Amino acid sequence: MVGKVALITGCSSGVGRELCRTLTEKGDRVVATARSLERLEGVSAALKVALDVTDQDSIKQAIAAVMNAYGRIDVLVNNAGYSVRSAVEEIDLEELAHLFDVNVYGIVRMIQAVAPIMRQQGAGKIINIGSVSGRLTGLVNGGYCASKHAVEAISDAARLELQGFGIQVSVLEPGAMDTDFFRTLSQNSDERMQNSQSPYHPFYQRDLAFRKKQKRADLSKATGEIDAILARKRLKGRYPVALPFVFSLLLALPERLREWLMLRV
Ligand SMILES: NC(=O)c1ccc[n+]([C@@H]2O[C@H](COP(=O)([O-])OP(=O)(O)OC[C@H]3O[C@@H](n4cnc5c(N)ncnc54)[C@H](OP(=O)(O)O)[C@@H]3O)[C@@H](O)[C@H]2O)c1
């Protein structure tokens, strides 16, 4: 039996790259995508295609290449994403717009491109990689958290709209994982966060110190959990992935106590 055709965005590193390996080993026909094909060197996949989730033409060409090769798409994993840190008062609006372009509009563009194909098949799974930051908003992280809260809402709406066509939509909410994510974040944000003139300097310093000692889940553990979720016949709306107990606890606490802890600990 031939494996499922699984299209994944953001496969040049981290979750996307490791998920390509896991699904390929299982026998799925993985379509690995990233902005640049060179960055896909060494990635395990049946097909590699350039795809920038902010570029409609690039998406159109990539989907055409997949349909040309396999004539179907069974699974779409919307994984491409990144983060920047800033206090709300200091967010650069262009930067915020780009963050939403990748993390939110990128997912919407991909759903718009793939849902008609899955509708015609009468089946398909769409997995959106959100974050625990889509449930819990931290200090100096408002922009990224807003984008991941938006992923939750888009996923919920699409899930209700598409289920009658045999398409299941689910959002995954990972905790911190050991990927390039934090390297990209440091490149985007750390210099600005060193500005001692900022009224938010103490918050920035605390965030920088926290990130240095933060425990991050092993990537293969996280993608193992994702693989198990993908193998389910019926998907729930959302799944935590590699979520440390402290976050589950914070989510369960009354708001005032949670905020008190977040400001002090
Ligand atoms: N790592 C964590 O702690 C963590 C926690 C919760 C959620 N997440 C989420 O998990 C997902 C994967 O992140 P990761 O941890 O694997 O980080 P990563 O190693 O930095 O990988 C991010 C991927 O996104 C791709 N990407 C960025 N902009 C893109 C664009 N415009 N079009 C297509 N691809 C683009 C990058 O590819 P190129 O730059 O090579 O194009 C890269 O392959 C993200 O949605 C992230 O928000 C991560």
Side-chain angles (χ1 to χ4, degrees):
M1 202 177 79
V2 282
K4 293 185 296 294
V5 176
L7 168 60
I8 309 174
T9 65
C11 301
S12 64
S13 64
V15 175
R17 193 178 188 96
E18 183 66 15
L19 196 58
C20 284
R21 195 182 62 77
T22 312
L23 297 187
T24 300
E25 276 173 9
K26 265 185 47 187
D28 286 342
R29 291 172 287 173
V30 173
V31 182
T33 71
R35 281 180 289 187
S36 113
L37 271 180
E38 290 87 76
R39 297 250 298 143
L40 288 175
E41 214 183 297
V43 173
S44 309
L47 183 68
K48 296 176 187 178
V49 187
L51 190 162
D52 181 338
V53 299
T54 66
D55 179 344
Q56 203 72 261
D57 283 342
S58 143
I59 293 175
K60 214 170 141 188
Q61 282 169 27
I63 301 294
V66 183
M67 292 308 282
N68 196 29
Y70 303 120
R72 60 183 301 112
I73 299 172
D74 301 301
V75 177
L76 165 66
V77 182
N78 283 312
N79 166 69
Y82 74 102
S83 175
V84 290
R85 289 274 206 278
S86 183
V88 173
E89 190 185 336
E90 297 186 342
I91 290 179
D92 177 309
L93 286 177
E94 268 182 37
E95 211 165 52
L96 184 65
H98 190 261
L99 188 70
F100 269 71
D101 206 14
V102 176
N103 291 6
V104 184
Y105 301 153
I107 290 183
V108 176
R109 288 187 193 97
M110 290 303 297
I111 292 177
Q112 290 179 347
V114 172
I117 295 164
M118 291 183 168
R119 233 188 12 250
Q120 203 153 22
Q121 293 167 182
K125 285 180 180 166
I126 299 176
I127 305 294
N128 297 328
I129 306 294
S131 169
V132 65
S133 302
R135 305 283 304 281
L136 193 64
T137 302
L139 291 89
V140 304
N141 201 13
Y144 178 67
C145 292
S147 77
K148 292 299 186 180
H149 275 72
V151 172
E152 296 275 332
I154 292 291
S155 304
D156 282 343
R159 177 176 170 80
L160 293 170
E161 291 158 6
L162 292 170
Q163 62 183 1
F165 300 107
I167 305 169
Q168 301 188 60
V169 182
S170 192
V171 57
L172 309 193
E173 300 159 339
M177 299 170 288
D178 193 14
T179 70
D180 282 355
F181 180 85
F182 291 96
R183 217 183 331 270
T184 308
L185 170 58
S186 289
Q187 282 162 6
N188 289 337
S189 310
D190 286 5
E191 203 179 310
R192 178 186 42 216
M193 292 172 80
Q194 300 292 358
N195 174 13
S196 57
Q197 302 305 311
S198 164
Y200 304 100
H201 188 61
F203 291 152
Y204 290 146
Q205 288 305 301
R206 209 178 63 172
D207 185 76
L208 288 163
F210 173 75
R211 268 192 273 141
K212 269 193 193 136
K213 59 174 193 218
Q214 184 180 24
K215 280 211 180 93
R216 291 167 192 157
D218 176 63
L219 193 49
S220 57
K221 181 181 175 288
T223 50
E225 286 181 37
I226 297 175
D227 178 35
I229 291 164
L230 268 171
R232 287 174 185 232
K233 212 167 171 179
R234 273 176 68 93
L235 294 180
K236 290 196 294 184
R238 49 189 38 77
Y239 293 94
V241 168
L243 192 66
F245 176 68
V246 64
F247 281 102
S248 317
L249 191 69
L250 277 173
L251 279 166
L253 289 176
E255 185 178 77
R256 285 202 177 173
L257 180 54
R258 181 167 60 239
E259 289 187 352
W260 186 89
L261 281 168
M262 287 171 90
L263 279 167
R264 284 162 188 82
V265 180

